[in-house]
Amino acid sequence: MTTKKLALAALFISLSAIGGMIKIPLGIASIALDATPALVAVLFFSAPLVGTIAAFGHLISALFGGMPLGPFHLMIAIEMGIILWLFAKLHHAGKHRLKWVAFIIGNGVVAALPFYFLLSPAFFYAAVPALLIASLINAAVAALLLPYIVKASGGSGHAS
């Protein structure tokens, strides 16, 4: 990895930290715009690095929210890394509609599934609507930004 790419990855993690401070008032303190920079990072990085940016972004966001789910946030960070890895893989394969569906369903439903068993079915059913709304908001903000970033960067990447 070049120094330039490392610095850019650090910038995206920092942007995730800023997004983590922009909370979406949906009942769970760690729900925020931390995923948006990772969704945009797909224009510049491979899938593993996009996943890493997402994982660190979630951990920083959870810290700003007071770590309401304690050590479960490590598991959520890993889930976010996998979901954004898949998003990047789909993006680079030209599956531009499918990548958004995969992100929203993955982040809004699948990532919450372990909590059905680890905490309670009630927590799962209460969290899913909030997570779906937050996923839609993160995806919408990223989708609005992507074309402008492609244009500003000289046309690299696929913004659709």
Side-chain angles (χ1 to χ4, degrees), residues 72-158:
F72 287 130
H73 283 291
L74 184 58
M75 180 184 72
I76 296 167
I78 292 167
E79 290 176 328
M80 289 295 297
I82 293 167
I83 292 164
L84 270 292
W85 172 86
L86 176 61
F87 179 85
K89 283 291 196 184
L90 292 169
H91 173 82
H92 296 303
K95 309 285 185 189
H96 297 298
R97 283 191 168 84
L98 184 57
K99 72 182 179 188
W100 296 111
V101 173
F103 170 73
I104 292 165
I105 299 299
N107 194 50
V109 179
V110 177
L113 198 53
F115 292 99
Y116 183 93
F117 305 101
L118 295 172
L119 293 179
S120 73
F123 180 85
F124 172 79
Y125 291 121
V128 166
L131 291 171
L132 280 170
I133 292 167
S135 298
L136 284 165
I137 292 170
N138 273 281
V141 172
L144 289 171
L145 291 174
L146 286 174
Y148 295 104
I149 293 170
V150 167
K151 187 175 179 181
S153 65
S156 65
H158 304 282

Side-chain angles (χ1 to χ4, degrees), residues 5-30:
K5 212 166 209 159
L6 185 61
L8 188 59
L11 175 67
F12 274 98
I13 291 170
S14 298
L15 290 170
S16 288
I18 293 167
M21 288 187 256
I22 303 170
K23 299 299 183 191
I24 302 170
L26 296 171
I28 301 173
S30 64

